[in-house]
């Protein structure tokens, strides 16, 4: 019996923004979400560069090479963003979040890479857990015990990101995990997580076995909550085959 990853993704401009700066990939071995920032054209370019750079990682990768592959992809994406800024100074300040999950060819391990405030959640045996830590000003305040997570959700500076892929020095978080059959992963931009509560996310992940229906429902909930931002979701299931 081998574990495989089955995924789908969806994105929506939302109800306020004039364009969509998010990007995603829902592949066989790789799933990822990026949320661009720094002006409409530049933010869209940054997330596009990041996604185009890491999509080639969607291939059979040995377990012991997962983190190195993600690290190399992020380093390359950062360099390409830096080059794009150098080509046009008006792009200064553009950047993107990136949250990516790479599945080993054996199905015995996965690796996660993260920078910014997009998120990866794991829904396992009926329990939803946020795996990534937001690179944000309010998360820093939470970590220091200055505010509660509930206060962070409505803090006026909750959108301030402390690091992103902008072409400079960056310290992404990397982790490896052992997948279980039946795991369901949700990767999303903050256009979802800022307006839909975790308990509601869990209800939708549990209640919609069809991935496409699940993704559409999550986006619909974000839109019903006002859709103030672009919203992107990737739903990825770990399934046993053979």
């Amino acid at each position: 019996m081998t574990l495989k990853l089955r995924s789908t993704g969806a994105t929506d401009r939302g109800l306020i923004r004039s364009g969509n700066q998010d990007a995603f990939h829902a592949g066989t071995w790789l799933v990822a979400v990026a949320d661009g920032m720094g002006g409409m054209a530049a933010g869209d370019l940054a997330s596009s560069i990041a996604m185009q750079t890491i999509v080639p990682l969607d291939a059979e990768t040995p377990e012991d090479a997962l983190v190195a592959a993600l690290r190399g992809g992020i380093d390359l994406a950062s360099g390409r963003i830096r080059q794009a800024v150098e080509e046009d100074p008006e792009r200064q300040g553009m950047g993107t979040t990136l949250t990516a999950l790479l599945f080993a060819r054996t199905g015995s391990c996965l690796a996660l890479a993260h920078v910014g405030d997009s998120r990866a959640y794991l829904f396992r045996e009926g329990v939803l857990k946020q795996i990534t830590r937001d690179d944000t000003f309010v998360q820093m305040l939470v970590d220091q015990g200055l505010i509660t997570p509930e206060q962070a959700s409505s803090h006026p500076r909750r959108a301030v990101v402390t690091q992103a892929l902008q072409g400079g020095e960056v310290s992404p978080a990397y982790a490896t995990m052992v997948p279980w059959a039946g795991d369901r992963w949700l990767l999303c931009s903050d256009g979802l997580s800022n307006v839909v509560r975790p308990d509601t996310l869990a209800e939708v992940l549990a209640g919609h076995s069809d991935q496409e229906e699940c993704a559409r429902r999550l986006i619909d909930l974000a839109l019903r909550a006002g859709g103030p931002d672009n919203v992107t979701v990737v739903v990825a299931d770990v399934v046993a085959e053979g």
Side-chain angles (χ1 to χ4, degrees):
M1 185 179 70
T2 305
L3 297 181
K4 300 287 187 180
L5 199 65
R6 297 287 177 263
S7 67
T8 192
T11 187
D12 193 280
R13 187 182 70 188
L15 302 178
I16 305 296
R17 300 294 177 91
S18 60
N20 194 339
Q21 300 184 78
D22 288 358
F24 75 89
H25 178 75
T28 302
W29 307 100
L30 175 78
V31 292
V33 167
D35 180 355
M37 62 192 74
M40 185 50 63
D44 178 67
L45 178 63
S47 62
S48 176
I49 289 173
M51 202 56 59
Q52 290 172 9
T53 303
I54 68 160
V55 162
L57 300 181
D58 193 357
E60 294 188 10
T61 306
E63 180 178 326
D64 60 1
L66 294 174
V67 171
L70 287 169
R71 183 176 285 116
I74 286 179
D75 287 347
L76 184 58
S78 184
R80 289 179 176 175
I81 289 171
R82 181 169 60 250
Q83 182 180 0
V85 172
E86 291 171 351
E87 291 171 355
D88 184 353
E90 290 189 3
R91 295 171 178 162
Q92 188 68 42
M94 83 172 186
T96 184
T97 72
L98 181 64
T99 301
L101 184 156
L102 183 60
F103 207 70
R105 67 185 181 194
T106 58
S108 58
C109 185
L110 61 82
L112 197 65
H114 170 75
V115 59
D117 65 350
S118 296
R119 289 183 177 179
Y121 293 92
L122 172 60
F123 187 67
R124 173 180 284 178
E125 296 190 329
V127 178
L128 183 69
K129 182 178 181 181
Q130 181 182 334
I131 303 300
T132 53
R133 174 190 174 279
D134 294 347
D135 290 320
T136 59
F137 175 73
V138 293
Q139 183 61 51
M140 188 171 61
L141 296 180
V142 171
D143 293 344
Q144 294 172 354
L146 299 175
I147 64 173
T148 67
E150 291 72 25
Q151 290 171 324
S153 65
S154 59
H155 195 281
R157 298 188 67 189
R158 65 184 180 277
V160 177
V161 176
T162 53
Q163 68 167 354
L165 296 182
Q166 294 182 288
E169 288 294 318
V170 67
S171 300
Y174 298 96
T176 57
M177 296 181 64
V178 176
W180 292 9
D183 283 352
R184 170 165 276 191
W185 285 86
L186 168 64
L187 274 61
C188 65
S189 62
D190 65 344
L192 178 70
S193 55
N194 277 351
V195 296
V196 181
R197 292 171 51 88
D199 56 346
T200 304
L201 297 178
E203 288 177 11
V204 176
L205 293 170
H208 295 77
S209 58
D210 182 276
Q211 289 182 331
E212 292 187 2
E213 287 183 9
C214 183
R216 285 197 301 267
R217 176 60 177 159
L218 290 168
I219 286 181
D220 182 57
L221 286 172
L223 297 179
R224 290 185 179 204
D229 198 356
N230 307 146
V231 54
T232 299
V233 304
V234 172
V235 179
D237 292 327
V238 178
V239 298
E241 292 188 353

